[in-house]
Amino acid sequence: MKELKIHNWTLEVDVKKTYEQYKNEKWDLCDCTYCLNFFQAMKTTSSKLTNLFNSLGIIPSKCVHLSEFGPTESGLYLYMGCYHIIGRIKEGKPVNTSSWDDHNVAEVDNFSFVFSKDLIFVPEGMPSPVLQMDFSVEVPWVIEEPYGT
Ligand SMILES: [Zn+2]
């Protein structure tokens, strides 16, 4: 386990094992247009965001739980979802999606996230301890299929 400091949290993360989970081809990924757009858009992230994902072992274009909330004023598309990590919170309070506020949410570019102890949609076979990262992010529409089809 590697110790990481992110925002108000100190985490212990098994980066290698987490990455191995993301690399497997067994996950049941949704193939609706909204999800496919997210997967494609998250293949190219800013260097800051790429560093964050790399430090945790996450492949951001693979996400088992996503909701899309449509176009925003900025012309981007709002998504909320969660990533799972093998690790635990060593210090700092876990935050639920329902208790987000300006102080307990971390931000890297337009990617906002918290670490939660609530576990939903954990991919099958993911070894414990599992830590959940809940996020919201706005991404462009990048695939050929038009929005809403
Ligand atoms: Zn979908």
Side-chain angles (χ1 to χ4, degrees):
M1 293 263 191
K2 198 177 89 181
E3 197 169 296
L4 282 172
K5 280 191 184 291
I6 299 177
H7 195 65
N8 299 329
W9 301 280
T10 304
L11 308 177
E12 284 178 333
V13 178
D14 194 324
V15 182
K16 202 173 154 241
K17 265 197 187 166
T18 301
Y19 186 67
E20 280 167 11
Q21 288 293 311
Y22 278 83
K23 265 188 49 183
N24 85 61
E25 302 294 327
K26 284 177 242 161
W27 288 1
D28 203 5
L29 297 175
C30 179
D31 61 358
C32 79
T33 319
Y34 305 112
C35 290
L36 291 178
N37 181 69
F38 178 87
F39 300 151
Q40 192 60 39
M42 293 305 277
K43 280 182 182 166
T44 40
T45 53
S46 72
S47 55
K48 265 202 241 166
L49 208 41
T50 304
N51 286 343
L52 173 72
F53 292 129
N54 286 347
S55 72
L56 295 165
I58 292 172
I59 300 177
S61 58
K62 285 188 150 184
C63 184
V64 293
H65 179 59
L66 268 179
S67 306
E68 194 269 347
F69 294 94
T72 63
E73 280 176 12
S74 50
L76 299 171
Y77 295 80
L78 176 66
Y79 288 82
M80 294 183 87
C82 53
Y83 292 120
H84 296 94
I85 299 157
I86 300 168
R88 62 172 84 91
I89 298 177
K90 196 182 169 198
E91 281 164 39
K93 277 189 189 163
V95 180
N96 301 331
T97 0
S98 54
S99 56
W100 285 35
D101 66 37
D102 289 348
H103 303 289
N104 63 20
V105 172
E107 275 174 12
V108 174
D109 297 327
N110 69 353
F111 184 83
S112 306
F113 62 99
V114 297
F115 292 99
S116 169
K117 272 187 171 170
D118 294 349
L119 299 179
I120 50 165
F121 300 100
V122 178
E124 229 181 280
M126 187 120 184
S128 50
V130 178
L131 180 63
Q132 184 165 314
M133 175 200 243
D134 292 320
F135 67 84
S136 88
V137 67
E138 292 182 15
V139 301
W141 195 262
V142 294
I143 59 171
E144 259 180 53
E145 290 83 352
Y147 177 78
T149 54

